[in-house]
PDB file of all heavy atoms in Angstrom:
ATOM      1  N   PHE A 156       0.827  -1.204   0.000  1.00  0.00           N
ATOM      2  CA  PHE A 156       0.000   0.000   0.000  1.00  0.00           C
ATOM      3  C   PHE A 156       0.865   1.259   0.000  1.00  0.00           C
ATOM      4  O   PHE A 156       0.591   2.216  -0.723  1.00  0.00           O
ATOM      5  CB  PHE A 156      -0.927  -0.019   1.217  1.00  0.00           C
ATOM      6  CG  PHE A 156      -1.894   1.111   1.255  1.00  0.00           C
ATOM      7  CD1 PHE A 156      -2.928   1.186   0.348  1.00  0.00           C
ATOM      8  CD2 PHE A 156      -1.770   2.099   2.205  1.00  0.00           C
ATOM      9  CE1 PHE A 156      -3.829   2.225   0.381  1.00  0.00           C
ATOM     10  CE2 PHE A 156      -2.661   3.142   2.251  1.00  0.00           C
ATOM     11  CZ  PHE A 156      -3.688   3.210   1.338  1.00  0.00           C
ATOM     12  N   GLY A 157       1.924   1.254   0.813  1.00  0.00           N
ATOM     13  CA  GLY A 157       2.839   2.396   0.847  1.00  0.00           C
ATOM     14  C   GLY A 157       3.530   2.616  -0.481  1.00  0.00           C
ATOM     15  O   GLY A 157       3.708   3.765  -0.922  1.00  0.00           O
ATOM     16  N   CYS A 158       3.909   1.533  -1.135  1.00  0.00           N
ATOM     17  CA  CYS A 158       4.546   1.658  -2.454  1.00  0.00           C
ATOM     18  C   CYS A 158       3.576   2.216  -3.483  1.00  0.00           C
ATOM     19  O   CYS A 158       3.951   3.065  -4.297  1.00  0.00           O
ATOM     20  CB  CYS A 158       5.083   0.308  -2.909  1.00  0.00           C
ATOM     21  SG  CYS A 158       6.544  -0.211  -2.026  1.00  0.00           S
ATOM     22  N   VAL A 159       2.344   1.749  -3.462  1.00  0.00           N
ATOM     23  CA  VAL A 159       1.352   2.253  -4.421  1.00  0.00           C
ATOM     24  C   VAL A 159       1.113   3.744  -4.200  1.00  0.00           C
ATOM     25  O   VAL A 159       1.049   4.524  -5.159  1.00  0.00           O
ATOM     26  CB  VAL A 159       0.033   1.452  -4.310  1.00  0.00           C
ATOM     27  CG1 VAL A 159      -1.095   2.136  -5.053  1.00  0.00           C
ATOM     28  CG2 VAL A 159       0.236   0.042  -4.823  1.00  0.00           C
ATOM     29  N   LEU A 160       1.015   4.167  -2.934  1.00  0.00           N
ATOM     30  CA  LEU A 160       0.815   5.589  -2.659  1.00  0.00           C
ATOM     31  C   LEU A 160       2.040   6.417  -3.032  1.00  0.00           C
ATOM     32  O   LEU A 160       1.908   7.571  -3.426  1.00  0.00           O
ATOM     33  CB  LEU A 160       0.478   5.808  -1.181  1.00  0.00           C
ATOM     34  CG  LEU A 160      -0.918   5.417  -0.746  1.00  0.00           C
ATOM     35  CD1 LEU A 160      -1.110   5.721   0.731  1.00  0.00           C
ATOM     36  CD2 LEU A 160      -1.969   6.123  -1.559  1.00  0.00           C
ATOM     37  N   ALA A 161       3.233   5.836  -2.894  1.00  0.00           N
ATOM     38  CA  ALA A 161       4.445   6.572  -3.250  1.00  0.00           C
ATOM     39  C   ALA A 161       4.612   6.683  -4.763  1.00  0.00           C
ATOM     40  O   ALA A 161       5.073   7.709  -5.274  1.00  0.00           O
ATOM     41  CB  ALA A 161       5.668   5.897  -2.640  1.00  0.00           C
ATOM     42  N   ILE A 162       4.230   5.650  -5.495  1.00  0.00           N
ATOM     43  CA  ILE A 162       4.405   5.654  -6.947  1.00  0.00           C
ATOM     44  C   ILE A 162       3.327   6.482  -7.636  1.00  0.00           C
ATOM     45  O   ILE A 162       3.594   7.183  -8.611  1.00  0.00           O
ATOM     46  CB  ILE A 162       4.405   4.210  -7.491  1.00  0.00           C
ATOM     47  CG1 ILE A 162       5.659   3.493  -7.002  1.00  0.00           C
ATOM     48  CG2 ILE A 162       4.351   4.195  -8.998  1.00  0.00           C
ATOM     49  CD1 ILE A 162       5.672   2.021  -7.301  1.00  0.00           C
ATOM     50  N   PHE A 163       2.100   6.419  -7.130  1.00  0.00           N
ATOM     51  CA  PHE A 163       0.982   7.142  -7.735  1.00  0.00           C
ATOM     52  C   PHE A 163       0.436   8.176  -6.758  1.00  0.00           C
ATOM     53  O   PHE A 163      -0.665   8.004  -6.211  1.00  0.00           O
ATOM     54  CB  PHE A 163      -0.133   6.168  -8.134  1.00  0.00           C
ATOM     55  CG  PHE A 163       0.308   5.086  -9.069  1.00  0.00           C
ATOM     56  CD1 PHE A 163       0.390   3.774  -8.636  1.00  0.00           C
ATOM     57  CD2 PHE A 163       0.657   5.383 -10.374  1.00  0.00           C
ATOM     58  CE1 PHE A 163       0.796   2.765  -9.495  1.00  0.00           C
ATOM     59  CE2 PHE A 163       1.061   4.384 -11.233  1.00  0.00           C
ATOM     60  CZ  PHE A 163       1.141   3.080 -10.796  1.00  0.00           C
ATOM     61  N   PRO A 164       1.154   9.276  -6.537  1.00  0.00           N
ATOM     62  CA  PRO A 164       0.680  10.263  -5.539  1.00  0.00           C
ATOM     63  C   PRO A 164      -0.584  11.004  -5.974  1.00  0.00           C
ATOM     64  O   PRO A 164      -1.292  11.536  -5.128  1.00  0.00           O
ATOM     65  CB  PRO A 164       1.858  11.222  -5.400  1.00  0.00           C
ATOM     66  CG  PRO A 164       2.607  11.100  -6.680  1.00  0.00           C
ATOM     67  CD  PRO A 164       2.409   9.682  -7.146  1.00  0.00           C
ATOM     68  N   ASP A 165      -0.895  11.053  -7.247  1.00  0.00           N
ATOM     69  CA  ASP A 165      -2.080  11.753  -7.725  1.00  0.00           C
ATOM     70  C   ASP A 165      -3.303  10.839  -7.843  1.00  0.00           C
ATOM     71  O   ASP A 165      -4.358  11.280  -8.283  1.00  0.00           O
ATOM     72  CB  ASP A 165      -1.801  12.395  -9.088  1.00  0.00           C
ATOM     73  CG  ASP A 165      -0.736  13.473  -8.988  1.00  0.00           C
ATOM     74  OD1 ASP A 165      -0.614  14.081  -7.905  1.00  0.00           O
ATOM     75  OD2 ASP A 165      -0.030  13.697  -9.981  1.00  0.00           O
ATOM     76  N   PHE A 166      -3.149   9.587  -7.441  1.00  0.00           N
ATOM     77  CA  PHE A 166      -4.258   8.641  -7.498  1.00  0.00           C
ATOM     78  C   PHE A 166      -5.333   9.076  -6.501  1.00  0.00           C
ATOM     79  O   PHE A 166      -5.039   9.311  -5.332  1.00  0.00           O
ATOM     80  CB  PHE A 166      -3.749   7.234  -7.155  1.00  0.00           C
ATOM     81  CG  PHE A 166      -4.764   6.156  -7.343  1.00  0.00           C
ATOM     82  CD1 PHE A 166      -5.124   5.741  -8.615  1.00  0.00           C
ATOM     83  CD2 PHE A 166      -5.358   5.550  -6.251  1.00  0.00           C
ATOM     84  CE1 PHE A 166      -6.061   4.739  -8.791  1.00  0.00           C
ATOM     85  CE2 PHE A 166      -6.297   4.551  -6.416  1.00  0.00           C
ATOM     86  CZ  PHE A 166      -6.647   4.147  -7.691  1.00  0.00           C
ATOM     87  N   PRO A 167      -6.578   9.213  -6.940  1.00  0.00           N
ATOM     88  CA  PRO A 167      -7.619   9.672  -6.011  1.00  0.00           C
ATOM     89  C   PRO A 167      -7.892   8.624  -4.929  1.00  0.00           C
ATOM     90  O   PRO A 167      -8.192   7.472  -5.222  1.00  0.00           O
ATOM     91  CB  PRO A 167      -8.845   9.876  -6.905  1.00  0.00           C
ATOM     92  CG  PRO A 167      -8.585   9.070  -8.121  1.00  0.00           C
ATOM     93  CD  PRO A 167      -7.091   8.982  -8.284  1.00  0.00           C
ATOM     94  N   PHE A 168      -7.721   9.043  -3.696  1.00  0.00           N
ATOM     95  CA  PHE A 168      -7.908   8.146  -2.556  1.00  0.00           C
ATOM     96  C   PHE A 168      -8.653   8.921  -1.470  1.00  0.00           C
ATOM     97  O   PHE A 168      -8.063   9.365  -0.489  1.00  0.00           O
ATOM     98  CB  PHE A 168      -6.547   7.653  -2.074  1.00  0.00           C
ATOM     99  CG  PHE A 168      -6.614   6.490  -1.149  1.00  0.00           C
ATOM    100  CD1 PHE A 168      -7.042   5.255  -1.585  1.00  0.00           C
ATOM    101  CD2 PHE A 168      -6.254   6.641   0.175  1.00  0.00           C
ATOM    102  CE1 PHE A 168      -7.106   4.190  -0.729  1.00  0.00           C
ATOM    103  CE2 PHE A 168      -6.312   5.580   1.041  1.00  0.00           C
ATOM    104  CZ  PHE A 168      -6.740   4.346   0.593  1.00  0.00           C
ATOM    105  N   PRO A 169      -9.970   9.132  -1.643  1.00  0.00           N
ATOM    106  CA  PRO A 169     -10.729  10.013  -0.750  1.00  0.00           C
ATOM    107  C   PRO A 169     -11.108   9.340   0.574  1.00  0.00           C
ATOM    108  O   PRO A 169     -12.176   8.754   0.707  1.00  0.00           O
ATOM    109  CB  PRO A 169     -11.974  10.345  -1.571  1.00  0.00           C
ATOM    110  CG  PRO A 169     -12.170   9.153  -2.446  1.00  0.00           C
ATOM    111  CD  PRO A 169     -10.787   8.617  -2.742  1.00  0.00           C
ATOM    112  N   VAL A 170     -10.228   9.409   1.556  1.00  0.00           N
ATOM    113  CA  VAL A 170     -10.535   8.816   2.861  1.00  0.00           C
ATOM    114  C   VAL A 170     -10.565   9.846   3.973  1.00  0.00           C
ATOM    115  O   VAL A 170     -11.029   9.561   5.055  1.00  0.00           O
ATOM    116  CB  VAL A 170      -9.538   7.701   3.212  1.00  0.00           C
ATOM    117  CG1 VAL A 170      -9.736   6.508   2.319  1.00  0.00           C
ATOM    118  CG2 VAL A 170      -8.131   8.195   3.162  1.00  0.00           C
ATOM    119  N   GLY A 171     -10.048  11.033   3.746  1.00  0.00           N
ATOM    120  CA  GLY A 171     -10.102  12.086   4.753  1.00  0.00           C
ATOM    121  C   GLY A 171      -8.797  12.234   5.516  1.00  0.00           C
ATOM    122  O   GLY A 171      -7.853  11.459   5.361  1.00  0.00           O
ATOM    123  N   ALA A 172      -8.794  13.252   6.354  1.00  0.00           N
ATOM    124  CA  ALA A 172      -7.584  13.573   7.115  1.00  0.00           C
ATOM    125  C   ALA A 172      -7.312  12.551   8.215  1.00  0.00           C
ATOM    126  O   ALA A 172      -6.164  12.355   8.601  1.00  0.00           O
ATOM    127  CB  ALA A 172      -7.709  14.958   7.715  1.00  0.00           C
ATOM    128  N   TRP A 173      -8.333  11.889   8.718  1.00  0.00           N
ATOM    129  CA  TRP A 173      -8.124  10.911   9.779  1.00  0.00           C
ATOM    130  C   TRP A 173      -7.216   9.784   9.304  1.00  0.00           C
ATOM    131  O   TRP A 173      -6.418   9.256  10.077  1.00  0.00           O
ATOM    132  CB  TRP A 173      -9.452  10.341  10.260  1.00  0.00           C
ATOM    133  CG  TRP A 173     -10.174   9.541   9.209  1.00  0.00           C
ATOM    134  CD1 TRP A 173     -11.058   9.999   8.290  1.00  0.00           C
ATOM    135  CD2 TRP A 173     -10.016   8.153   8.944  1.00  0.00           C
ATOM    136  NE1 TRP A 173     -11.470   8.994   7.471  1.00  0.00           N
ATOM    137  CE2 TRP A 173     -10.854   7.833   7.850  1.00  0.00           C
ATOM    138  CE3 TRP A 173      -9.274   7.138   9.516  1.00  0.00           C
ATOM    139  CZ2 TRP A 173     -10.944   6.556   7.341  1.00  0.00           C
ATOM    140  CZ3 TRP A 173      -9.365   5.860   8.996  1.00  0.00           C
ATOM    141  CH2 TRP A 173     -10.199   5.574   7.922  1.00  0.00           C
ATOM    142  N   PHE A 174      -7.343   9.408   8.026  1.00  0.00           N
ATOM    143  CA  PHE A 174      -6.503   8.333   7.501  1.00  0.00           C
ATOM    144  C   PHE A 174      -5.044   8.759   7.462  1.00  0.00           C
ATOM    145  O   PHE A 174      -4.162   7.947   7.709  1.00  0.00           O
ATOM    146  CB  PHE A 174      -6.977   7.921   6.108  1.00  0.00           C
ATOM    147  CG  PHE A 174      -6.195   6.770   5.554  1.00  0.00           C
ATOM    148  CD1 PHE A 174      -6.439   5.484   5.984  1.00  0.00           C
ATOM    149  CD2 PHE A 174      -5.197   6.974   4.615  1.00  0.00           C
ATOM    150  CE1 PHE A 174      -5.710   4.419   5.499  1.00  0.00           C
ATOM    151  CE2 PHE A 174      -4.466   5.925   4.120  1.00  0.00           C
ATOM    152  CZ  PHE A 174      -4.722   4.634   4.561  1.00  0.00           C
ATOM    153  N   LEU A 175      -4.795  10.023   7.158  1.00  0.00           N
ATOM    154  CA  LEU A 175      -3.434  10.530   7.145  1.00  0.00           C
ATOM    155  C   LEU A 175      -2.802  10.423   8.530  1.00  0.00           C
ATOM    156  O   LEU A 175      -1.637  10.041   8.664  1.00  0.00           O
ATOM    157  CB  LEU A 175      -3.419  11.976   6.652  1.00  0.00           C
ATOM    158  CG  LEU A 175      -2.062  12.632   6.500  1.00  0.00           C
ATOM    159  CD1 LEU A 175      -1.240  11.907   5.453  1.00  0.00           C
ATOM    160  CD2 LEU A 175      -2.229  14.089   6.134  1.00  0.00           C
ATOM    161  N   VAL A 176      -3.577  10.709   9.554  1.00  0.00           N
ATOM    162  CA  VAL A 176      -3.076  10.602  10.926  1.00  0.00           C
ATOM    163  C   VAL A 176      -2.778   9.141  11.267  1.00  0.00           C
ATOM    164  O   VAL A 176      -1.715   8.814  11.805  1.00  0.00           O
ATOM    165  CB  VAL A 176      -4.091  11.207  11.913  1.00  0.00           C
ATOM    166  CG1 VAL A 176      -3.688  10.930  13.345  1.00  0.00           C
ATOM    167  CG2 VAL A 176      -4.233  12.696  11.675  1.00  0.00           C
ATOM    168  N   VAL A 177      -3.684   8.244  10.951  1.00  0.00           N
ATOM    169  CA  VAL A 177      -3.495   6.823  11.249  1.00  0.00           C
ATOM    170  C   VAL A 177      -2.318   6.258  10.462  1.00  0.00           C
ATOM    171  O   VAL A 177      -1.476   5.530  11.014  1.00  0.00           O
ATOM    172  CB  VAL A 177      -4.790   6.030  10.947  1.00  0.00           C
ATOM    173  CG1 VAL A 177      -4.558   4.536  11.044  1.00  0.00           C
ATOM    174  CG2 VAL A 177      -5.887   6.458  11.890  1.00  0.00           C
ATOM    175  N   TYR A 178      -2.240   6.605   9.182  1.00  0.00           N
ATOM    176  CA  TYR A 178      -1.149   6.100   8.347  1.00  0.00           C
ATOM    177  C   TYR A 178       0.199   6.644   8.817  1.00  0.00           C
ATOM    178  O   TYR A 178       1.189   5.923   8.868  1.00  0.00           O
ATOM    179  CB  TYR A 178      -1.393   6.472   6.882  1.00  0.00           C
ATOM    180  CG  TYR A 178      -0.389   5.881   5.934  1.00  0.00           C
ATOM    181  CD1 TYR A 178      -0.400   4.521   5.651  1.00  0.00           C
ATOM    182  CD2 TYR A 178       0.574   6.662   5.326  1.00  0.00           C
ATOM    183  CE1 TYR A 178       0.522   3.961   4.790  1.00  0.00           C
ATOM    184  CE2 TYR A 178       1.501   6.117   4.460  1.00  0.00           C
ATOM    185  CZ  TYR A 178       1.466   4.763   4.191  1.00  0.00           C
ATOM    186  OH  TYR A 178       2.384   4.214   3.345  1.00  0.00           O
ATOM    187  N   GLY A 179       0.252   7.916   9.173  1.00  0.00           N
ATOM    188  CA  GLY A 179       1.494   8.495   9.677  1.00  0.00           C
ATOM    189  C   GLY A 179       1.920   7.868  10.984  1.00  0.00           C
ATOM    190  O   GLY A 179       3.107   7.586  11.195  1.00  0.00           O
ATOM    191  N   LEU A 180       0.977   7.626  11.868  1.00  0.00           N
ATOM    192  CA  LEU A 180       1.294   6.978  13.139  1.00  0.00           C
ATOM    193  C   LEU A 180       1.794   5.555  12.923  1.00  0.00           C
ATOM    194  O   LEU A 180       2.807   5.144  13.508  1.00  0.00           O
ATOM    195  CB  LEU A 180       0.059   6.980  14.042  1.00  0.00           C
ATOM    196  CG  LEU A 180       0.242   6.366  15.422  1.00  0.00           C
ATOM    197  CD1 LEU A 180       1.220   7.207  16.237  1.00  0.00           C
ATOM    198  CD2 LEU A 180      -1.096   6.268  16.131  1.00  0.00           C
ATOM    199  N   ALA A 181       1.115   4.811  12.059  1.00  0.00           N
ATOM    200  CA  ALA A 181       1.535   3.438  11.786  1.00  0.00           C
ATOM    201  C   ALA A 181       2.907   3.402  11.121  1.00  0.00           C
ATOM    202  O   ALA A 181       3.741   2.553  11.454  1.00  0.00           O
ATOM    203  CB  ALA A 181       0.500   2.738  10.899  1.00  0.00           C
ATOM    204  N   SER A 182       3.169   4.324  10.208  1.00  0.00           N
ATOM    205  CA  SER A 182       4.478   4.376   9.556  1.00  0.00           C
ATOM    206  C   SER A 182       5.571   4.732  10.550  1.00  0.00           C
ATOM    207  O   SER A 182       6.666   4.164  10.511  1.00  0.00           O
ATOM    208  CB  SER A 182       4.465   5.408   8.424  1.00  0.00           C
ATOM    209  OG  SER A 182       3.526   5.050   7.452  1.00  0.00           O
ATOM    210  N   GLY A 183       5.284   5.662  11.445  1.00  0.00           N
ATOM    211  CA  GLY A 183       6.267   6.031  12.461  1.00  0.00           C
ATOM    212  C   GLY A 183       6.568   4.904  13.424  1.00  0.00           C
ATOM    213  O   GLY A 183       7.720   4.674  13.790  1.00  0.00           O
ATOM    214  N   VAL A 184       5.532   4.179  13.835  1.00  0.00           N
ATOM    215  CA  VAL A 184       5.738   3.036  14.725  1.00  0.00           C
ATOM    216  C   VAL A 184       6.569   1.970  14.024  1.00  0.00           C
ATOM    217  O   VAL A 184       7.502   1.404  14.610  1.00  0.00           O
ATOM    218  CB  VAL A 184       4.377   2.469  15.195  1.00  0.00           C
ATOM    219  CG1 VAL A 184       4.544   1.120  15.854  1.00  0.00           C
ATOM    220  CG2 VAL A 184       3.708   3.439  16.143  1.00  0.00           C
ATOM    221  N   PHE A 185       6.263   1.701  12.762  1.00  0.00           N
ATOM    222  CA  PHE A 185       7.030   0.707  12.019  1.00  0.00           C
ATOM    223  C   PHE A 185       8.487   1.120  11.886  1.00  0.00           C
ATOM    224  O   PHE A 185       9.396   0.330  12.134  1.00  0.00           O
ATOM    225  CB  PHE A 185       6.428   0.493  10.628  1.00  0.00           C
ATOM    226  CG  PHE A 185       7.288  -0.364   9.746  1.00  0.00           C
ATOM    227  CD1 PHE A 185       7.341  -1.731   9.941  1.00  0.00           C
ATOM    228  CD2 PHE A 185       8.049   0.196   8.740  1.00  0.00           C
ATOM    229  CE1 PHE A 185       8.147  -2.528   9.148  1.00  0.00           C
ATOM    230  CE2 PHE A 185       8.849  -0.589   7.937  1.00  0.00           C
ATOM    231  CZ  PHE A 185       8.890  -1.958   8.145  1.00  0.00           C
ATOM    232  N   LEU A 186       8.728   2.360  11.510  1.00  0.00           N
ATOM    233  CA  LEU A 186      10.104   2.827  11.339  1.00  0.00           C
ATOM    234  C   LEU A 186      10.858   2.825  12.663  1.00  0.00           C
ATOM    235  O   LEU A 186      12.031   2.446  12.720  1.00  0.00           O
ATOM    236  CB  LEU A 186      10.106   4.226  10.726  1.00  0.00           C
ATOM    237  CG  LEU A 186      11.453   4.760  10.301  1.00  0.00           C
ATOM    238  CD1 LEU A 186      12.050   3.875   9.224  1.00  0.00           C
ATOM    239  CD2 LEU A 186      11.315   6.173   9.798  1.00  0.00           C
ATOM    240  N   GLY A 187      10.194   3.225  13.736  1.00  0.00           N
ATOM    241  CA  GLY A 187      10.828   3.193  15.051  1.00  0.00           C
ATOM    242  C   GLY A 187      11.170   1.780  15.481  1.00  0.00           C
ATOM    243  O   GLY A 187      12.269   1.518  15.986  1.00  0.00           O
ATOM    244  N   CYS A 188      10.244   0.850  15.283  1.00  0.00           N
ATOM    245  CA  CYS A 188      10.508  -0.549  15.641  1.00  0.00           C
ATOM    246  C   CYS A 188      11.639  -1.125  14.795  1.00  0.00           C
ATOM    247  O   CYS A 188      12.486  -1.869  15.299  1.00  0.00           O
ATOM    248  CB  CYS A 188       9.253  -1.391  15.473  1.00  0.00           C
ATOM    249  SG  CYS A 188       7.995  -1.037  16.686  1.00  0.00           S
ATOM    250  N   LEU A 189      11.656  -0.780  13.524  1.00  0.00           N
ATOM    251  CA  LEU A 189      12.720  -1.274  12.649  1.00  0.00           C
ATOM    252  C   LEU A 189      14.075  -0.736  13.079  1.00  0.00           C
ATOM    253  O   LEU A 189      15.053  -1.483  13.160  1.00  0.00           O
ATOM    254  CB  LEU A 189      12.430  -0.881  11.201  1.00  0.00           C
ATOM    255  CG  LEU A 189      13.412  -1.388  10.147  1.00  0.00           C
ATOM    256  CD1 LEU A 189      13.383  -2.902  10.089  1.00  0.00           C
ATOM    257  CD2 LEU A 189      13.083  -0.797   8.797  1.00  0.00           C
ATOM    258  N   SER A 190      14.162   0.548  13.392  1.00  0.00           N
ATOM    259  CA  SER A 190      15.455   1.115  13.783  1.00  0.00           C
ATOM    260  C   SER A 190      15.907   0.594  15.138  1.00  0.00           C
ATOM    261  O   SER A 190      17.097   0.320  15.332  1.00  0.00           O
ATOM    262  CB  SER A 190      15.392   2.646  13.776  1.00  0.00           C
ATOM    263  OG  SER A 190      14.442   3.093  14.696  1.00  0.00           O
ATOM    264  N   VAL A 191      14.989   0.418  16.090  1.00  0.00           N
ATOM    265  CA  VAL A 191      15.365  -0.123  17.386  1.00  0.00           C
ATOM    266  C   VAL A 191      15.774  -1.588  17.261  1.00  0.00           C
ATOM    267  O   VAL A 191      16.739  -2.023  17.899  1.00  0.00           O
ATOM    268  CB  VAL A 191      14.218   0.060  18.407  1.00  0.00           C
ATOM    269  CG1 VAL A 191      14.456  -0.747  19.661  1.00  0.00           C
ATOM    270  CG2 VAL A 191      14.066   1.521  18.748  1.00  0.00           C
ATOM    271  N   ALA A 192      15.074  -2.361  16.421  1.00  0.00           N
ATOM    272  CA  ALA A 192      15.455  -3.756  16.223  1.00  0.00           C
ATOM    273  C   ALA A 192      16.835  -3.858  15.573  1.00  0.00           C
ATOM    274  O   ALA A 192      17.654  -4.697  15.961  1.00  0.00           O
ATOM    275  CB  ALA A 192      14.415  -4.479  15.367  1.00  0.00           C
ATOM    276  N   LEU A 193      17.109  -2.991  14.618  1.00  0.00           N
ATOM    277  CA  LEU A 193      18.427  -2.986  13.984  1.00  0.00           C
ATOM    278  C   LEU A 193      19.504  -2.587  14.977  1.00  0.00           C
ATOM    279  O   LEU A 193      20.576  -3.206  15.033  1.00  0.00           O
ATOM    280  CB  LEU A 193      18.432  -2.041  12.784  1.00  0.00           C
ATOM    281  CG  LEU A 193      19.720  -1.982  11.964  1.00  0.00           C
ATOM    282  CD1 LEU A 193      20.060  -3.360  11.415  1.00  0.00           C
ATOM    283  CD2 LEU A 193      19.589  -0.979  10.851  1.00  0.00           C
ATOM    284  N   ALA A 194      19.234  -1.581  15.790  1.00  0.00           N
ATOM    285  CA  ALA A 194      20.206  -1.163  16.804  1.00  0.00           C
ATOM    286  C   ALA A 194      20.415  -2.255  17.841  1.00  0.00           C
ATOM    287  O   ALA A 194      21.534  -2.462  18.321  1.00  0.00           O
ATOM    288  CB  ALA A 194      19.729   0.120  17.478  1.00  0.00           C
ATOM    289  N   GLU A 195      19.350  -2.984  18.176  1.00  0.00           N
ATOM    290  CA  GLU A 195      19.474  -4.063  19.144  1.00  0.00           C
ATOM    291  C   GLU A 195      20.309  -5.214  18.594  1.00  0.00           C
ATOM    292  O   GLU A 195      21.140  -5.782  19.300  1.00  0.00           O
ATOM    293  CB  GLU A 195      18.082  -4.562  19.538  1.00  0.00           C
ATOM    294  CG  GLU A 195      18.093  -5.615  20.611  1.00  0.00           C
ATOM    295  CD  GLU A 195      16.691  -6.052  20.966  1.00  0.00           C
ATOM    296  OE1 GLU A 195      15.766  -5.233  20.892  1.00  0.00           O
ATOM    297  OE2 GLU A 195      16.526  -7.236  21.318  1.00  0.00           O
ATOM    298  N   VAL A 196      20.086  -5.545  17.337  1.00  0.00           N
ATOM    299  CA  VAL A 196      20.860  -6.621  16.729  1.00  0.00           C
ATOM    300  C   VAL A 196      22.337  -6.244  16.653  1.00  0.00           C
ATOM    301  O   VAL A 196      23.221  -7.073  16.869  1.00  0.00           O
ATOM    302  CB  VAL A 196      20.302  -6.965  15.330  1.00  0.00           C
ATOM    303  CG1 VAL A 196      21.260  -7.828  14.545  1.00  0.00           C
ATOM    304  CG2 VAL A 196      18.974  -7.653  15.470  1.00  0.00           C
ATOM    305  N   LEU A 197      22.615  -4.999  16.360  1.00  0.00           N
ATOM    306  CA  LEU A 197      23.998  -4.545  16.263  1.00  0.00           C
ATOM    307  C   LEU A 197      24.610  -4.212  17.622  1.00  0.00           C
ATOM    308  O   LEU A 197      25.758  -3.776  17.685  1.00  0.00           O
ATOM    309  CB  LEU A 197      24.080  -3.320  15.354  1.00  0.00           C
ATOM    310  CG  LEU A 197      23.677  -3.557  13.907  1.00  0.00           C
ATOM    311  CD1 LEU A 197      23.697  -2.243  13.139  1.00  0.00           C
ATOM    312  CD2 LEU A 197      24.580  -4.571  13.262  1.00  0.00           C
TER     313      LEU A 197
END
């Protein structure tokens, strides 16, 4: 889903501002978990 949104930014996706908040929060949690897991492994 993230790749599709990144490749087609002009694709109409009418879900509202609430989705932007949820998607941003989920992306931030994923990126934070990934960086902490990488730091933990190293």
Side-chain angles (χ1 to χ4, degrees):
F156 185 69
C158 287
V159 167
L160 286 181
I162 292 172
F163 303 110
D165 296 332
F166 187 73
F168 194 67
V170 291
W173 65 271
F174 183 77
L175 183 63
V176 172
V177 171
Y178 186 72
L180 181 66
S182 299
V184 167
F185 172 75
L186 189 62
C188 290
L189 183 64
S190 61
V191 168
L193 183 59
E195 184 179 328
V196 166
L197 297 176

